[in-house]
Amino acid sequence: MDREFLIDLFADFGPVTIRRMFSGHGISADGTNFALSLRAGLYFRADEETIPRFEAEGSKPFQYQTSTRTVTVNSYWQLPARLFDDSEELAQWARAALAAAQRAALRKRPKGRKAAKASAKKAKANKPVKKKPARKAKKNSPRKRS
């Protein structure tokens, strides 16, 4: 899918940013990537809340082959083909995919003071240790006695 086609496809959803990615494009809104357009098709971000909707349509999660195995990426599911002809419903699915991507981003963020403390501790552990310069030896001077 080319860039112009994707822009037209998401017209009812609203403005999207489309960037070259892998063998296709990454599609984002409000700084959050929620869809992938690859040679194999268009994939939307999904989570436990939206996966049942994809399954009901007979969609499958994104998969790719390595030299030794097939890798399944359960966080992106193929958009049902019928939605390419229904831009209003596609926009609803895109909003749900954006919401799933935003929920995933929230789960990845550190939570509160505990996480901030832990990340500060980790940063301190990774900081190089500075060696103090060696002290000069004091010369032996005679003590004055009173």
Side-chain angles (χ1 to χ4, degrees):
M1 289 176 233
D2 71 355
R3 185 181 196 83
E4 300 308 316
F5 176 77
L6 291 170
I7 290 170
D8 289 344
L9 191 63
F10 286 96
D12 283 345
F13 170 75
V16 293
T17 302
I18 300 171
R19 293 194 176 112
R20 293 277 315 146
M21 177 185 239
F22 308 119
S23 62
H25 296 92
I27 303 160
S28 60
D30 300 327
T32 303
N33 195 37
F34 70 94
L36 299 173
S37 170
L38 304 169
R39 281 179 263 166
L42 186 59
Y43 296 85
F44 276 6
R45 182 68 191 231
D47 62 7
E48 63 280 343
E49 197 172 309
T50 58
I51 287 174
R53 198 171 173 189
F54 286 96
E55 290 174 330
E57 293 281 341
S59 293
K60 303 280 183 207
F62 174 64
Q63 293 183 330
Y64 64 92
Q65 296 285 334
T66 68
S67 59
T68 58
R69 64 188 177 112
T70 299
V71 177
T72 300
V73 181
N74 282 314
S75 56
Y76 283 91
W77 284 64
Q78 190 161 26
L79 188 68
R82 68 178 184 78
L83 295 177
F84 286 94
D85 296 326
D86 188 346
S87 62
E88 286 180 26
E89 190 173 358
L90 184 137
Q92 292 172 1
W93 281 66
R95 284 186 200 93
L98 179 58
Q102 289 168 335
R103 284 189 296 273
L106 285 174
R107 283 190 296 269
K108 286 184 180 179
R109 286 193 188 146
K111 293 181 178 89
R113 292 180 76 187
K114 232 180 198 179
K117 236 181 195 179
S119 63
K121 195 178 218 182
K122 191 176 185 180
K124 188 176 180 182
N126 292 336
K127 194 174 182 180
V129 178
K130 291 183 180 179
K131 290 185 178 180
K132 293 183 180 180
R135 289 186 183 181
K136 291 185 181 179
K138 290 185 179 180
K139 292 183 181 179
N140 289 338
S141 60
R143 284 184 158 179
K144 290 185 181 179
R145 291 191 176 177
S146 313

